[in-house]
Amino acid sequence: MALSQLEVTGAEVYATQVGDRLTQRGHQVFYVSDTLSCPHKGQHFRLLFNKRSLPRRVWHVLYLIYLILRYKIQLVHAHSRASGWSSYVACKLTNTPMVTSVHGRQPVHRSRKKFHALGYHAVAVCENIAQQIIRDLGVPREQVSVVRNGVDSQQFSPLPAANNDKPIIQIIGRLTGPKGELVYQLLKQCIDLNTNKVQVVSGSHVDKRFAEFEDKVEFCGYSDNIRSTIAQADLIIGAGRVAMEALLCKKPVFAVGEAKALGYISLDNLPAALASNFGDVADDGKTELDIDYSNLAEQLASFGEQHQLSEQLVAAIKAEYDLDAVCQKLLETYQSAYVYTKQQEVPIIMYHRVTQDDSQKGAYGTYVTLERLEEHFQTIKRMGLSPITFSELAEIGLEHRFNHGKRYIILTFDDGYQDNFDLLLPLLKKYQFKAVIYAVTGTDHNRWDVEHPTKPDQRFELMSHQTMREIDQSGYVEIGGHTLNHPKLAELSEAEQQQEIEQNKAELESLLGRELTTFAYPYGNHNQQTKQLAKQAGYTFTVATDSGPIGMHQDLQQIRRIVMFPSTTKFGLWRKIKGNYTYKKASKQARQIDE
């Protein structure tokens, strides 16, 4: 997490709360910033990003490169322009994935348009910011998404209404820059300081211009427990994180920020509040604060008439800003950044039958000889890859598949042939490898090929129920679903597809005494309806063949696999599983479609 700041900001709270939640999920998080006031788990390195002379920036880049290499950093998440610029150069030089959270409106100038310095993806905290960097900076739309500030909804749960003799109004935020001017004008023009008790909660130095309010306003300084602080208040004035946290605590909020005044937040103006980060970012490109303070004074004078916040409003805020949901969206972005920057994904390779020699090759060549398969296993072992099953991947956590020092591969075998038990299983035991076998249950042989109308194949036996149970219990194989009769699912009706998928799953689960995790489309053939039915059946991981996005996490109902042929040599295998094969093939397919 890279930040440039000299005082507590919403970006720091965002970075540390997200960082702590990622730490809870097993990730190691480091912080690099000028200062870091919020409590946090993870090591902090002080780097003066706000010193922006050319020599300083060169030093920033060199120091970031040192940290990336020394601590084996796999992704950099920047949270400000100054830290983002240095992080961008350091990440380019080390081929490290980078994303940037954009917390406020970006300055527009020629160099910024040409040199976005946002990394793989820009994550805007509200829609108006996203629109601004697309419109004014020319950042491609596909490189921008909205992921809101994460708020721990348990920490900021509803509070009882304050019971004060004199209403307490708290203004929470910085006293520097545009927000400082805003606070000054609110005190000067808008709030009746005689009928209300006003508290200003800020970590900023109190400028001398605020001296005129010392007798009537309490300047409380920084609060490290904002929930207990706002528990005293009857009304909160602020924008950004302040507003959302107060609303989750069921405190009335008067939203006024650096760009616009929204007034009291309700369900009616919530869409505008979300889009503008509660008043901090305009939707029209304006850079100067344009607020009618007399109008604000009238609104604030009616504070006693405001009704209590509705449960629907609190629920809507929770749905938008829940920290776990925000972290999940960020993790998906992180994974995409890693896959597309490194051009790597966990290889999932596909076999069918295993034979003693070429005499059993059949009409379609969906086999590999035992000798060739052992060559493949030797290559996999030499490359330091660890074969795992999809159940093990679920236990590891999909987001952890790229953890430093780990290189995974998934070996899959379609249809469930008897030779998988006779020849594959002993080889798995010899090399201590794991594999996934996708089993057909509606026939005892490859009837779909034998009864082919124009190119009938010879008969090859499938595993019996007893054999399937035995191989599943061996500890080396995970059984997955593969339909009853191996049809081209997309050519069937919805009811027929559902029966093929769900009855096959029910039979296998009854046989094996456990729930299935993964399913494979026969021939890789499917449509959107098929994908939905597989998900509805309860499959977490569904594999296709050579279709689907590059990143596994991008569509768990259409995971790409790499086909192995009888002719795939050790070198051919190495080329396909070293990491970037899927990226290159998918990119080539996309270019062909465009052409």
Side-chain angles (χ1 to χ4, degrees):
M1 299 291 182
L3 307 94
S4 55
Q5 56 184 42
L6 300 176
E7 58 184 323
V8 180
T9 63
E12 178 182 329
V13 179
Y14 176 104
T16 52
Q17 285 198 357
V18 166
D20 282 356
R21 192 53 55 93
L22 295 178
T23 300
Q24 290 177 14
R25 296 178 68 138
H27 301 280
Q28 190 173 10
V29 181
F30 299 87
Y31 299 88
V32 186
S33 65
D34 303 71
T35 61
L36 198 62
S37 302
C38 293
H40 60 279
K41 300 172 184 176
Q43 197 166 352
H44 170 227
F45 299 94
R46 188 163 182 257
L47 191 58
L48 302 180
F49 284 119
N50 271 290
K51 304 291 186 180
R52 304 186 188 187
S53 66
L54 183 58
R56 282 281 190 174
R57 289 198 169 189
V58 171
W59 164 243
H60 297 162
V61 171
L62 293 175
Y63 188 62
L64 288 170
I65 290 173
Y66 161 75
L67 292 177
I68 288 169
L69 298 178
R70 169 68 177 80
Y71 293 97
K72 302 177 176 62
I73 303 300
Q74 291 180 281
L75 180 132
V76 172
H77 187 160
H79 295 269
S80 63
R81 292 190 298 275
S83 67
W85 187 94
S86 300
S87 297
Y88 179 82
V89 177
C91 287
K92 276 290 186 182
L93 293 174
T94 57
N95 193 36
T96 302
M98 173 187 166
V99 300
T100 300
S101 277
V102 187
H103 297 267
R105 187 186 179 281
Q106 299 296 289
V108 180
H109 44 72
R110 185 178 300 174
S111 63
R112 186 68 170 163
K113 287 183 177 181
K114 291 186 176 181
F115 190 63
H116 299 143
L118 296 171
Y120 167 78
H121 199 79
V123 177
V125 299
C126 69
E127 286 81 357
N128 288 357
I129 292 175
Q131 292 168 10
Q132 191 251 332
I133 61 177
I134 292 169
R135 178 189 64 229
D136 297 343
L137 297 183
V139 178
R141 187 173 297 275
E142 63 273 14
Q143 293 180 19
V144 181
S145 61
V146 175
V147 179
R148 305 200 188 282
N149 285 296
V151 180
D152 190 338
S153 55
Q154 293 182 340
Q155 180 183 352
F156 292 95
S157 55
L159 289 165
N163 187 24
N164 300 310
D165 295 333
K166 192 175 186 179
I168 294 179
I169 298 177
Q170 289 180 351
I171 304 175
I172 305 178
R174 296 196 305 273
L175 296 180
T176 57
K179 285 192 175 178
E181 175 64 18
L182 175 63
V183 173
Y184 179 81
Q185 295 300 334
L186 287 171
L187 297 175
K188 186 76 173 176
Q189 302 186 50
C190 304
I191 303 174
D192 187 336
L193 302 182
N194 295 313
T195 59
N196 299 290
K197 181 179 179 181
V198 178
Q199 298 175 339
V200 175
V201 182
S202 175
S204 302
H205 171 73
V206 181
D207 191 85
K208 60 183 180 182
R209 63 177 167 166
F210 290 100
E212 63 181 287
F213 307 114
E214 285 183 352
D215 294 338
K216 295 184 177 181
V217 174
E218 181 183 356
F219 291 88
C220 304
Y222 172 70
S223 172
D224 58 4
N225 189 337
I226 196 67
R227 186 172 190 269
S228 64
T229 299
I230 65 178
Q232 312 164 35
D234 296 280
L235 175 67
I236 304 297
I237 299 180
R241 294 190 66 87
V242 169
M244 63 194 75
E245 290 171 352
L247 289 168
L248 283 173
C249 289
K250 211 172 181 182
K251 290 289 182 178
V253 169
F254 192 89
V256 54
E258 295 182 20
K260 57 181 8 178
L262 297 165
Y264 294 102
I265 297 300
S266 65
L267 282 172
D268 291 336
N269 64 1
L270 181 60
L274 297 176
S276 65
N277 204 26
F278 294 90
D280 267 349
V281 188
D283 56 0
D284 53 9
K286 288 184 178 179
T287 60
E288 295 183 1
L289 192 63
D290 183 15
I291 291 178
D292 182 351
Y293 288 103
S294 61
N295 180 261
L296 293 192
E298 291 180 13
Q299 292 184 57
L300 285 167
S302 67
F303 167 57
E305 304 168 12
Q306 295 301 311
H307 59 274
Q308 291 292 319
L309 298 186
S310 68
E311 295 291 342
Q312 293 92 333
L313 177 59
V314 177
I317 294 294
K318 183 176 180 179
E320 290 285 343
Y321 293 97
D322 179 71
L323 182 59
D324 286 320
V326 166
C327 286
Q328 187 58 44
K329 290 180 181 178
L330 287 174
L331 282 165
E332 290 170 5
T333 302
Y334 291 171
Q335 292 173 70
S336 294
Y338 189 90
V339 168
Y340 286 86
T341 301
K342 294 289 190 180
Q343 299 186 9
Q344 289 189 349
E345 178 55 281
V346 172
I348 304 171
I349 60 178
M350 181 178 70
Y351 300 94
H352 289 77
R353 292 184 294 113
V354 182
T355 68
Q356 288 285 3
D357 51 47
D358 289 334
S359 64
Q360 293 290 302
K361 65 182 181 180
Y364 295 97
T366 53
Y367 76 101
V368 60
T369 65
L370 184 60
E371 180 182 6
R372 180 56 57 85
L373 185 60
E374 183 155 21
E375 289 179 354
H376 287 187
F377 281 17
Q378 289 169 351
T379 302
I380 290 169
K381 199 173 189 71
R382 281 196 295 269
M383 292 175 68
L385 296 171
S386 300
I388 59 171
T389 65
F390 279 107
S391 292
E392 289 174 325
L393 178 60
E395 290 175 8
I396 294 165
L398 186 65
E399 69 203 58
H400 292 284
R401 70 191 186 278
F402 301 123
N403 282 2
H404 182 77
K406 301 292 185 182
R407 296 186 64 199
Y408 297 116
I409 186 171
I410 299 178
L411 316 176
T412 69
F413 293 77
D414 283 11
D415 304 338
Y417 291 99
Q418 175 64 31
D419 56 50
N420 289 182
F421 181 84
D422 298 335
L423 301 177
L424 170 62
L425 182 58
L427 203 61
L428 292 173
K429 291 179 179 179
K430 178 179 178 179
Y431 287 89
Q432 293 295 293
F433 282 2
K434 303 285 186 70
V436 179
I437 295 176
Y438 293 107
V440 172
T441 56
T443 178
D444 60 358
H445 67 284
N446 58 329
R447 189 174 60 202
W448 57 92
D449 284 337
V450 171
E451 297 178 0
H452 194 281
T454 59
K455 192 178 179 181
D457 201 355
Q458 63 190 96
R459 177 176 176 135
F460 298 108
E461 300 299 320
L462 302 180
M463 286 184 282
S464 67
H465 285 185
Q466 176 58 35
T467 304
M468 203 180 299
R469 188 183 297 112
E470 188 175 342
I471 200 170
D472 183 71
Q473 294 174 352
S474 69
Y476 294 92
V477 168
E478 175 186 10
I479 297 294
H482 202 41
T483 71
L484 290 171
N485 301 298
H486 204 278
K488 292 184 177 180
L489 287 168
E491 298 178 4
L492 303 182
S493 68
E494 180 179 359
E496 291 170 328
Q497 289 191 56
Q498 187 171 7
Q499 181 185 14
E500 285 282 347
I501 294 169
E502 293 187 357
Q503 189 174 333
N504 169 250
K505 186 172 188 282
E507 290 179 3
L508 287 171
E509 289 180 340
S510 175
L511 174 67
L512 304 175
R514 62 170 179 80
E515 291 186 2
L516 268 60
T517 302
T518 181
F519 174 79
Y521 304 115
Y523 309 102
N525 181 267
H526 66 280
N527 54 25
Q528 285 300 122
Q529 190 176 69
T530 321
K531 291 167 66 173
Q532 184 58 39
L533 289 170
K535 184 176 182 179
Q536 179 182 302
Y539 285 116
T540 305
F541 303 99
T542 304
V543 298
T545 51
D546 60 351
S547 69
I550 296 169
M552 188 193 310
H553 63 283
Q554 294 175 298
D555 190 346
L556 295 180
Q557 268 61 57
Q558 191 177 353
I559 299 173
R560 276 183 176 263
R561 289 190 290 173
I562 302 169
V563 180
M564 295 292 113
F565 299 102
S567 59
T568 303
T569 63
K570 290 184 288 186
F571 174 77
L573 176 72
W574 172 83
R575 184 175 63 86
K576 289 185 173 185
I577 67 174
K578 63 187 178 73
N580 64 351
Y581 179 81
T582 299
Y583 179 92
K584 288 184 174 180
K585 186 165 187 180
S587 299
K588 182 178 179 181
Q589 289 173 337
R591 288 195 300 272
Q592 289 173 341
I593 291 172
D594 291 340
E595 291 171 0

